[in-house]
């Protein structure tokens, strides 16, 4: 089976966010594989191990995403592809990223494409369904279970806490929700092997794309941090009185009840 | 510039979801005086058209088909694309719900348009329609505009105030017939887990429990409090991982994002990944026995104490308040 994983490099979930020069400050920040994409890598490896085939992990970004791609290779993916946009595209959005990914995938005969349901930085959740539409294949988002039987696929989808059991078929794109699996940690031998696995680097030229073809349709005009919250009121005194005071405050001061 | 803006009236169990009224309010801003057209998909939904109009839509288009009774990406996309073709709007607004998240990127890709997802505010400024949306899991915000084509956005539930319902408003509710072809993904079964009680993402009050609740049974006092306040129960990943509750309740970076009027965190330490899911709530109350717990840093009000003592007392006190008002 020919399996592709869409992987985004993102800020570590522990990172505090600061802004400098109107942009999110990346200096000294730790980067990780977007947590949902870790589920995607794990699922792809499991599907390959059960059905045979190959797992290729792709990322659109800069050279720095190599590190996260190597981690995916160390987990057990077979190949990685970095589509480096650093020199070609100045402003990108989800339209840009999806177009690039779809252009790369269009002649790859992918059976299964797995992405994360949302990136914890950009947070739009657009890239998976956009790519599926551009490739004209079905998709199921926020999945928590995937069963493949020949070309028939049964997926469980999380719908705001309820689940739907959906029947569909390959080729298919799915996006991972928490609960899909427990991503493995790269093993030491895995890390050693990953160093020798192929990691190709492509540019827009290699995909026959011009900068104009992928020009963003939206633009960020301002980035800012939420207003600093003033320290809250920690109540004191008899517990009974604290509770009375809290209800009173919520009713009269905060006016939420 | 005036725009014609289309808005999805999203239904759940036969009624319209609040987020649809919020989407109409957003669409009004995007329209800049232009027409706001609601659309409804499914059988026997046209009766809901009047309500969309009372909340500000000028008229409503209905696509009635049994294949649209349940949301599927294929069915809804076909219907929506047909409505878009018929109406040629300059704007489109959906709720950032499970449906909106699933459907909107596909429509955007089909139309080769931009899409601003998960907007929490919209305004017209400097000749542009400007959307505000959280990024980095709510640790920052960006203001974004569409530079080319359709002004297309999804709005986060509970953030944009709906217009006041005006029962005297009337308008046309017309049906459009669309042939819905094969669905490539078919729903075989729906397992309901979350929908007992109030929907978490739309709830005005959320009572959340963490590892401090200590057991599945420990959630009972929280449920009682939620009942009294007409709220929903949520949880930290700590509580989910410990199997005290279902993952469908998880709030945070890898769970749901909620922005209720009132969020009460019980026995939750306030890890940064949890804050990502609730820090934009209007008022936050923390109940924790550790005065040093991080949750107090984001709380508007805090009680240092044992949640098993505090929560039942709170429930009683709120009951009294309800009786008096
Ligand atoms: C050339 C270029 C320039 C850009 N410039 C800017 C900029 O100036 N400002 C700015 O804010 N953003 C910029 N971006 C990033 C862009 O706006 C989005 O962050 C990106 O398209 C993904 O959207 P998202 O973060 O909402 O991801 P989502 O749509 O939420 O991601 C969902 C899933 O899609 C997949 N996915 C997402 N992104 C990628 C990726 N890059 N590679 C592989 N798989 C992916 C993953 O599986 C992920 O889990 C640029 C992107 C490109 C390609
Ligand atoms: C990639 C990643 C993603 C994550 N995503 C999420 C997410 O989406 N959501 C999430 O919540 N977490 C998430 N986490 C986990 C997060 O880091 C924390 O581990 C988790 O939030 C802790 O849950 P907790 O506060 O319930 O537990 P703890 O940190 O153990 O805190 C329990 C609290 O209960 C208090 N307590 C104990 N007994 C009582 C009592 N009787 N009365 C009052 N207080 C009491 C204690 O003082 C303590 O503060 C994520 C982590 C990672 C690495």
């Amino acid at each position: 089976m020919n399996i592709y994983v869409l992987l985004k490099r993102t800020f570590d979930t522990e990172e505090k966010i600061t802004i400098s020069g109107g942009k999110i400050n990346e200096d000294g920040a730790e980067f990780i594989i977007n947590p949902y994409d870790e589920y995607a890598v794990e699922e792809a490896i499991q599907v390959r191990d059960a059905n045979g085939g190959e797992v290729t992990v792709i990322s659109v970004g800069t050279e720095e995403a190599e590190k996260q791609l190597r981690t995916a290779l160390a987990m057990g993916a077979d190949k990685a592809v970095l589509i480096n946009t650093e020199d070609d595209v100045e402003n990108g959005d989800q339209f840009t990223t999806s177009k690039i990914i779809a252009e790369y995938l269009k002649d790859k005969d992918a059976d299964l494409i797995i992405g994360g349901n949302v990136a914890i930085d950009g947070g739009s959740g657009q890239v998976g369904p956009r790519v599926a539409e551009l490739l004209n294949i079905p998709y199921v988002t926020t999945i928590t279970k995937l069963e493949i039987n020949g070309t028939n696929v049964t997926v469980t989808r999380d719908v705001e806490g309820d689940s739907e059991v959906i029947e569909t078929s390959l080729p298919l794109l799915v996006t991972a929700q928490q609960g899909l699996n427990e991503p493995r940690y790269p093993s030491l031998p895995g890390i050693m092997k990953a160093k020798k696995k192929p990691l190709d680097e492509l540019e827009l030229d290699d995909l026959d794309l011009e900068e104009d073809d992928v020009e963003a349709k939206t633009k960020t005009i301002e980035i800012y941090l939420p207003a600093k919250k003033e320290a809250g009121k920690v109540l004191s005194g008899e517990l009974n009185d604290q509770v009375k005071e809290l209800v009173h405050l919520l009713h009269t001061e905060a006016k939420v009840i | 510039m005036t725009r014609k803006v289309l808005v999805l009236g999203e239904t759940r169990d036969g009624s319209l979801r609040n987020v649809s009224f919020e989407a109409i309010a957003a669409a009004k801003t995007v329209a800049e005086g232009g027409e706001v057209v609601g659309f409804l998909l499914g059988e026997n939904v046209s009766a809901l058209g009047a309500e969309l109009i009372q909340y500000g839509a000028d008229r409503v288009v209905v696509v009635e088909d049994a294949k649209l009774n349940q949301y599927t990406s294929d069915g809804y996309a076909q219907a929506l694309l047909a409505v878009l073709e018929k109406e040629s709007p300059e704007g489109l607004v959906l709720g950032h719900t499970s449906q909106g998240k699933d459907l909107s990127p596909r429509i955007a890709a089909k139309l080769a348009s931009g899409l601003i997802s998960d907007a929490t505010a919209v305004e017209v400024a400097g000749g542009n329609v400007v959307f505000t949306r959280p990024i980095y899991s709510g640790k920052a915000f960006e203001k974004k505009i569409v530079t080319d084509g359709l002004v297309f956005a999804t709005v986060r539930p509970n953030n944009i105030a709906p217009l006041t319902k005006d029962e005297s408003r009337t308008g046309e509710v017309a049906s459009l017939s669309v042939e819905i072809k094969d669905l490539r993904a078919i729903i075989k079964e729906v397992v309901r887990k979350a929908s007992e009680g109030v929907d978490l993402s739309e709830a005005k009050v959320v009572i959340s429990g963490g590892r401090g609740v200590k057991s599945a049974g420990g959630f009972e006092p929280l449920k009682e409090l939620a009942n009294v306040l007409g709220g929903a129960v949520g949880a930290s990943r700590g509580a989910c991982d410990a199997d005290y509750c279902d993952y469908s309740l998880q709030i945070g970076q890898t769970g749901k994002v909620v922005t209720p009027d009132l969020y009460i965190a019980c026995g939750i330490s306030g890890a940064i990944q949890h804050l990502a899911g609730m820090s934009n709530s209007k008022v936050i109350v923390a109940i924790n026995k550790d005065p040093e717990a991080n949750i107090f840093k984001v709380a508007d009000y805090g009680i240092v104490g044992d949640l098993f003592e505090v929560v039942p007392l709170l429930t009683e006190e709120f009951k009294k308040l309800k009786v008096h008002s």
Side-chain angles (χ1 to χ4, degrees), chain A residues 4 38 45 56 99 104 129 146 227 249-250:
Chain A
Y4 286 85
E38 267 187 6
I45 294 168
T56 308
K99 180 98 184 228
Y104 171 79
L146 176 69
L249 286 167
L250 290 174

Side-chain angles (χ1 to χ4, degrees), chain A residues 11-17 19 24 26 35-36 39 93-95 120-126 129-130 133-134 136-142 157-169 177-178 216-226 229-235 239-240 242-244 246-247 249-251 253-254 256-257, chain B residues 12 17 73 96-98 102-103 105-106 108-110 112-117 130 132-133 135-148 184-195 199 205 229 237 247-248 250 253-256 261-262 272-273 283-285 296 298-304 309-310 313-314 317-318 321:
Chain A
F11 265 63
D12 191 332
T13 57
E14 295 284 348
E15 288 294 336
K16 291 230 158 60
I17 302 295
I19 290 176
I24 300 288
E26 299 199 346
Y36 293 102
Y39 298 119
D93 66 359
Q94 289 79 8
F95 169 83
I120 60 166
D121 49 3
S124 77
Q126 291 183 22
R130 272 188 184 263
E133 176 63 29
L134 294 172
N136 194 21
I137 60 171
Y139 64 85
V140 184
T141 53
T142 57
R157 168 167 191 254
D158 169 53
V159 186
E160 296 176 7
D162 291 338
S163 27
E164 287 175 355
V165 181
I166 293 176
E167 284 186 359
T168 182
S169 58
Q177 172 67 306
Q178 172 173 274
K217 304 281 183 186
T218 57
K219 190 171 152 198
T220 299
I221 54 172
E222 190 187 338
I223 294 181
Y224 61 96
L225 299 179
K229 260 195 133 154
E230 283 182 33
K233 215 180 264 180
V234 174
L235 308 178
L239 194 55
N240 257 314
Q242 287 189 41
V243 166
K244 282 200 173 73
L246 176 61
V247 170
L249 286 167
L250 290 174
H251 185 53
E253 187 178 88
V256 286
I257 293 295
Chain B
R12 191 187 174 100
R17 296 185 67 171
S73 159
H96 196 68
T97 57
S98 194
D102 192 72
L103 181 64
R106 171 184 192 159
K110 182 83 187 172
S113 82
L115 167 61
I116 296 176
S117 299
V130 182
T132 301
R133 61 185 298 276
I135 50 175
Y136 293 81
S137 314
K139 292 178 208 168
F141 286 87
E142 65 175 350
K143 292 198 174 192
K144 232 175 160 179
I145 59 171
V146 172
T147 48
D148 182 17
R184 295 174 297 183
I186 294 164
I187 301 174
K188 284 288 160 196
E189 194 189 341
V190 179
V191 186
R192 289 243 156 159
K193 288 186 278 186
S195 30
D199 181 35
V205 176
L229 296 176
R237 175 147 139 194
Y247 276 106
S248 61
Q250 183 183 317
Q253 188 135 35
T254 42
K256 290 202 174 65
D261 291 343
L262 174 60
I272 194 160
Q273 295 92 349
V283 173
I284 298 169
V285 172
F296 287 115
V298 298
D300 299 276
Y301 305 105
I303 292 186
V304 178
E309 284 177 53
V310 179
L313 286 173
L314 259 181
E317 208 50 41
F318 278 123
L321 183 74

Side-chain angles (χ1 to χ4, degrees), chain A residues 14-173:
Chain A
E14 295 284 348
E15 288 294 336
K16 291 230 158 60
I17 302 295
T18 57
I19 290 176
S20 66
K23 290 205 153 113
I24 300 288
N25 189 1
E26 299 199 346
D27 291 348
E30 289 287 328
F31 285 83
I32 55 170
I33 297 176
N34 180 41
Y36 293 102
D37 304 355
E38 267 187 6
Y39 298 119
V41 174
E42 176 63 36
E43 197 65 17
I45 294 168
Q46 290 185 16
V47 171
R48 178 204 60 198
D49 290 349
N51 299 272
E54 203 171 60
V55 176
T56 308
V57 185
I58 54 183
S59 192
V60 178
T62 64
E63 235 165 39
E64 281 155 318
E66 252 192 65
K67 183 163 172 233
Q68 284 69 35
L69 287 172
R70 286 279 173 216
T71 304
L73 292 172
M75 286 170 74
D78 302 290
K79 296 197 295 193
V81 176
L82 170 66
I83 306 174
N84 191 334
T85 50
E86 194 153 26
D87 300 332
D88 296 324
V89 194
E90 202 148 331
N91 280 308
D93 66 359
Q94 289 79 8
F95 169 83
T96 313
T97 308
S98 315
K99 180 98 184 228
I100 294 172
I101 293 174
E103 221 29 59
Y104 171 79
L105 285 172
K106 71 177 183 197
D107 55 6
K108 297 291 184 292
D109 287 320
D111 297 301
L112 180 65
I113 303 167
I114 314 182
N117 87 73
V118 69
I120 60 166
D121 49 3
S124 77
Q126 291 183 22
V127 171
R130 272 188 184 263
V131 167
E133 176 63 29
L134 294 172
L135 297 172
N136 194 21
I137 60 171
Y139 64 85
V140 184
T141 53
T142 57
I143 72 159
T144 54
K145 194 172 174 193
L146 176 69
E147 289 169 296
I148 299 176
N149 199 333
T151 58
N152 293 329
V153 184
T154 308
V155 263
T156 304
R157 168 167 191 254
D158 169 53
V159 186
E160 296 176 7
D162 291 338
S163 27
E164 287 175 355
V165 181
I166 293 176
E167 284 186 359
T168 182
S169 58
L170 300 178
L172 177 72
L173 183 146

Side-chain angles (χ1 to χ4, degrees), chain B residues 6-10 20 23 38-41 76 92-95 99 103:
Chain B
L6 221 56
V7 184
L8 172 66
E10 187 177 329
S20 302
F39 67 99
L40 289 162
L41 312 177
Y76 266 48
L92 175 59
V93 184
L94 275 62
Q99 285 188 15
L103 181 64

